[in-house]
mmCIF file of all heavy atoms in Angstrom:
data_model
loop_
_atom_site.group_PDB
_atom_site.id
_atom_site.type_symbol
_atom_site.label_atom_id
_atom_site.label_comp_id
_atom_site.label_asym_id
_atom_site.label_seq_id
_atom_site.Cartn_x
_atom_site.Cartn_y
_atom_site.Cartn_z
ATOM 1 N N TYR A 301 -17.564 4.445 -10.150
ATOM 2 C CA TYR A 301 -16.333 4.046 -10.775
ATOM 3 C C TYR A 301 -15.943 2.593 -10.091
ATOM 4 O O TYR A 301 -16.098 2.455 -9.018
ATOM 5 C CB TYR A 301 -15.144 5.076 -10.573
ATOM 6 C CG TYR A 301 -13.906 4.575 -11.257
ATOM 7 C CD1 TYR A 301 -13.721 5.031 -12.698
ATOM 8 C CD2 TYR A 301 -12.826 3.921 -10.627
ATOM 9 C CE1 TYR A 301 -12.667 4.658 -13.287
ATOM 10 C CE2 TYR A 301 -11.749 3.599 -11.346
ATOM 11 C CZ TYR A 301 -11.557 3.958 -12.690
ATOM 12 O OH TYR A 301 -10.478 3.695 -13.332
ATOM 13 N N ILE A 302 -15.686 1.698 -11.084
ATOM 14 C CA ILE A 302 -15.224 0.366 -10.619
ATOM 15 C C ILE A 302 -13.830 0.202 -10.712
ATOM 16 O O ILE A 302 -13.176 0.446 -11.776
ATOM 17 C CB ILE A 302 -16.015 -0.637 -11.646
ATOM 18 C CG1 ILE A 302 -17.597 -0.475 -11.412
ATOM 19 C CG2 ILE A 302 -15.595 -2.099 -11.176
ATOM 20 C CD1 ILE A 302 -18.360 -1.346 -12.440
ATOM 21 N N GLU A 303 -13.227 -0.420 -9.650
ATOM 22 C CA GLU A 303 -11.804 -0.703 -9.564
ATOM 23 C C GLU A 303 -11.388 -1.842 -10.419
ATOM 24 O O GLU A 303 -12.244 -2.755 -10.693
ATOM 25 C CB GLU A 303 -11.431 -0.981 -8.129
ATOM 26 C CG GLU A 303 -11.633 0.152 -7.087
ATOM 27 C CD GLU A 303 -10.285 0.981 -6.927
ATOM 28 O OE1 GLU A 303 -9.300 0.647 -7.459
ATOM 29 O OE2 GLU A 303 -10.478 2.003 -6.278
ATOM 30 N N GLY A 304 -10.122 -1.861 -10.932
ATOM 31 C CA GLY A 304 -9.718 -2.993 -11.841
ATOM 32 C C GLY A 304 -9.868 -2.669 -13.273
ATOM 33 O O GLY A 304 -10.828 -1.970 -13.739
ATOM 34 N N GLU A 305 -8.883 -3.108 -13.996
ATOM 35 C CA GLU A 305 -8.823 -2.723 -15.425
ATOM 36 C C GLU A 305 -9.258 -3.920 -16.357
ATOM 37 O O GLU A 305 -9.076 -5.123 -15.932
ATOM 38 C CB GLU A 305 -7.424 -2.345 -15.782
ATOM 39 C CG GLU A 305 -6.309 -3.249 -15.903
ATOM 40 C CD GLU A 305 -5.956 -4.015 -14.578
ATOM 41 O OE1 GLU A 305 -6.220 -3.190 -13.442
ATOM 42 O OE2 GLU A 305 -5.496 -5.081 -14.577
ATOM 43 N N MET A 306 -9.764 -3.619 -17.602
ATOM 44 C CA MET A 306 -9.932 -4.622 -18.633
ATOM 45 C C MET A 306 -9.061 -4.380 -19.739
ATOM 46 O O MET A 306 -8.475 -3.169 -19.841
ATOM 47 C CB MET A 306 -11.429 -4.627 -19.100
ATOM 48 C CG MET A 306 -12.424 -5.096 -18.125
ATOM 49 S SD MET A 306 -14.039 -5.235 -18.746
ATOM 50 C CE MET A 306 -14.974 -5.658 -17.364
ATOM 51 N N LEU A 307 -8.794 -5.265 -20.624
ATOM 52 C CA LEU A 307 -7.702 -5.180 -21.703
ATOM 53 C C LEU A 307 -8.485 -5.126 -22.952
ATOM 54 O O LEU A 307 -9.217 -5.952 -23.344
ATOM 55 C CB LEU A 307 -6.732 -6.257 -21.536
ATOM 56 C CG LEU A 307 -6.168 -6.650 -20.258
ATOM 57 C CD1 LEU A 307 -5.314 -7.814 -20.210
ATOM 58 C CD2 LEU A 307 -5.372 -5.451 -19.609
ATOM 59 N N GLU A 308 -7.888 -4.240 -23.931
ATOM 60 C CA GLU A 308 -8.432 -4.225 -25.195
ATOM 61 C C GLU A 308 -7.139 -3.838 -26.140
ATOM 62 O O GLU A 308 -6.116 -3.532 -25.616
ATOM 63 C CB GLU A 308 -9.474 -3.199 -25.562
ATOM 64 C CG GLU A 308 -10.917 -3.616 -24.868
ATOM 65 C CD GLU A 308 -11.965 -2.648 -25.172
ATOM 66 O OE1 GLU A 308 -11.736 -1.684 -26.035
ATOM 67 O OE2 GLU A 308 -13.084 -2.913 -24.729
ATOM 68 N N LYS A 309 -7.360 -3.848 -27.477
ATOM 69 C CA LYS A 309 -6.302 -3.365 -28.489
ATOM 70 C C LYS A 309 -6.712 -2.166 -29.177
ATOM 71 O O LYS A 309 -7.910 -1.980 -29.419
ATOM 72 C CB LYS A 309 -6.025 -4.563 -29.436
ATOM 73 C CG LYS A 309 -5.216 -5.718 -28.836
ATOM 74 C CD LYS A 309 -4.611 -6.530 -29.983
ATOM 75 C CE LYS A 309 -4.025 -7.769 -29.463
ATOM 76 N NZ LYS A 309 -3.107 -7.641 -28.459
ATOM 77 N N SER A 310 -5.823 -1.462 -29.544
ATOM 78 C CA SER A 310 -6.097 -0.175 -30.171
ATOM 79 C C SER A 310 -6.248 -0.608 -31.722
ATOM 80 O O SER A 310 -5.869 -1.781 -32.090
ATOM 81 C CB SER A 310 -4.867 0.689 -30.316
ATOM 82 O OG SER A 310 -4.666 1.204 -29.007
ATOM 83 N N PRO A 311 -6.958 0.242 -32.469
ATOM 84 C CA PRO A 311 -7.223 -0.137 -33.892
ATOM 85 C C PRO A 311 -5.919 -0.516 -34.654
ATOM 86 O O PRO A 311 -4.979 0.034 -34.386
ATOM 87 C CB PRO A 311 -7.927 1.058 -34.577
ATOM 88 C CG PRO A 311 -8.605 1.825 -33.308
ATOM 89 C CD PRO A 311 -7.681 1.494 -32.253
ATOM 90 N N PHE A 312 -6.004 -1.483 -35.627
ATOM 91 C CA PHE A 312 -4.850 -1.930 -36.324
ATOM 92 C C PHE A 312 -4.298 -0.991 -37.329
ATOM 93 O O PHE A 312 -3.049 -0.955 -37.612
ATOM 94 C CB PHE A 312 -5.048 -3.250 -36.884
ATOM 95 C CG PHE A 312 -5.292 -4.369 -35.831
ATOM 96 C CD1 PHE A 312 -5.636 -5.558 -36.389
ATOM 97 C CD2 PHE A 312 -5.235 -4.152 -34.562
ATOM 98 C CE1 PHE A 312 -5.902 -6.706 -35.443
ATOM 99 C CE2 PHE A 312 -5.473 -5.198 -33.653
ATOM 100 C CZ PHE A 312 -5.806 -6.499 -34.130
ATOM 101 N N THR A 313 -5.028 -0.136 -37.861
ATOM 102 C CA THR A 313 -4.655 0.734 -38.990
ATOM 103 C C THR A 313 -5.096 2.182 -38.768
ATOM 104 O O THR A 313 -6.019 2.487 -38.041
ATOM 105 C CB THR A 313 -5.310 0.392 -40.374
ATOM 106 O OG1 THR A 313 -6.646 0.603 -40.347
ATOM 107 C CG2 THR A 313 -5.002 -1.071 -40.666
ATOM 108 N N THR A 314 -4.367 3.094 -39.441
ATOM 109 C CA THR A 314 -4.728 4.604 -39.336
ATOM 110 C C THR A 314 -6.053 4.769 -39.793
ATOM 111 O O THR A 314 -6.918 5.539 -39.247
ATOM 112 C CB THR A 314 -3.674 5.462 -40.003
ATOM 113 O OG1 THR A 314 -2.404 5.151 -39.413
ATOM 114 C CG2 THR A 314 -4.007 6.913 -39.988
ATOM 115 N N CYS A 315 -6.503 4.141 -40.835
ATOM 116 C CA CYS A 315 -7.844 4.311 -41.412
ATOM 117 C C CYS A 315 -8.936 3.931 -40.441
ATOM 118 O O CYS A 315 -9.877 4.650 -40.267
ATOM 119 C CB CYS A 315 -7.919 3.555 -42.671
ATOM 120 S SG CYS A 315 -9.581 3.639 -43.459
ATOM 121 N N ASP A 316 -8.597 2.707 -39.825
ATOM 122 C CA ASP A 316 -9.708 2.324 -38.727
ATOM 123 C C ASP A 316 -9.737 3.353 -37.614
ATOM 124 O O ASP A 316 -10.866 3.507 -37.083
ATOM 125 C CB ASP A 316 -9.294 0.879 -38.272
ATOM 126 C CG ASP A 316 -9.722 -0.193 -39.277
ATOM 127 O OD1 ASP A 316 -10.063 0.138 -40.345
ATOM 128 O OD2 ASP A 316 -9.573 -1.459 -38.847
ATOM 129 N N PHE A 317 -8.574 3.728 -37.199
ATOM 130 C CA PHE A 317 -8.504 4.729 -36.154
ATOM 131 C C PHE A 317 -9.297 5.913 -36.387
ATOM 132 O O PHE A 317 -10.016 6.432 -35.500
ATOM 133 C CB PHE A 317 -6.996 5.048 -35.952
ATOM 134 C CG PHE A 317 -6.631 5.649 -34.601
ATOM 135 C CD1 PHE A 317 -6.721 5.022 -33.434
ATOM 136 C CD2 PHE A 317 -6.160 6.940 -34.518
ATOM 137 C CE1 PHE A 317 -6.394 5.560 -32.180
ATOM 138 C CE2 PHE A 317 -5.762 7.590 -33.318
ATOM 139 C CZ PHE A 317 -5.903 6.842 -32.168
ATOM 140 N N LEU A 318 -9.116 6.457 -37.614
ATOM 141 C CA LEU A 318 -9.838 7.735 -37.975
ATOM 142 C C LEU A 318 -11.417 7.469 -38.043
ATOM 143 O O LEU A 318 -12.124 8.188 -37.626
ATOM 144 C CB LEU A 318 -9.320 8.082 -39.404
ATOM 145 C CG LEU A 318 -10.045 9.332 -40.096
ATOM 146 C CD1 LEU A 318 -10.024 10.495 -39.273
ATOM 147 C CD2 LEU A 318 -9.390 9.546 -41.481
#
Side-chain angles (χ1 to χ4, degrees):
Y301 185 80
I302 299 175
E303 296 268 350
E305 71 291 339
M306 289 189 189
L307 314 174
E308 288 186 2
K309 283 198 188 309
S310 295
F312 292 176
T313 66
T314 296
C315 181
D316 280 8
F317 197 65
L318 173 59

